[in-house]
Amino acid sequence: MPAAAATATSAEALARFGHALSDPTRARLLLALRDAPGYPADLADRLGTTRQNLSNHLACLRGCGLVTTAPEGRRVRYELADEAVGHALDDLLQAVGS
């Protein structure tokens, strides 16, 4: 892959991550999933938002490639797509001085 294409791909990945973090609810959702996988109803209660609102944010995070689903019977568990996402969140928090 040419360097320009690799740079564009990297920039797109960073833009998706930035979009995910641009909303406080999505940022809180990523931090919650960093701690442990969760179910939408439980996550909505934990974050103090409606299930519909949370569902929209989860769809966005899935579209960004940051979370995945794991069907469990009639329920769906959400988790970070890769543990590297959790490490990136930790590194970012350390860099911005949380």
Side-chain angles (χ1 to χ4, degrees), residues 38-59:
Y39 301 97
D42 299 335
L43 290 164
D45 290 343
R46 182 174 171 188
L47 298 179
T49 189
T50 65
R51 291 179 187 186
Q52 180 62 44
N53 186 33
L54 187 88
S55 177
N56 292 336
H57 288 299
L58 286 169

Side-chain angles (χ1 to χ4, degrees), residues 5-25:
T7 300
T9 301
S10 296
E12 290 169 8
L14 286 174
R16 284 193 310 273
F17 194 64
H19 176 72
L21 294 175
S22 70
D23 182 273
T25 300

Side-chain angles (χ1 to χ4, degrees), residues 3 20 43 68 71 77 82 97:
L43 290 164
T68 60
R77 185 184 75 234
D82 190 289

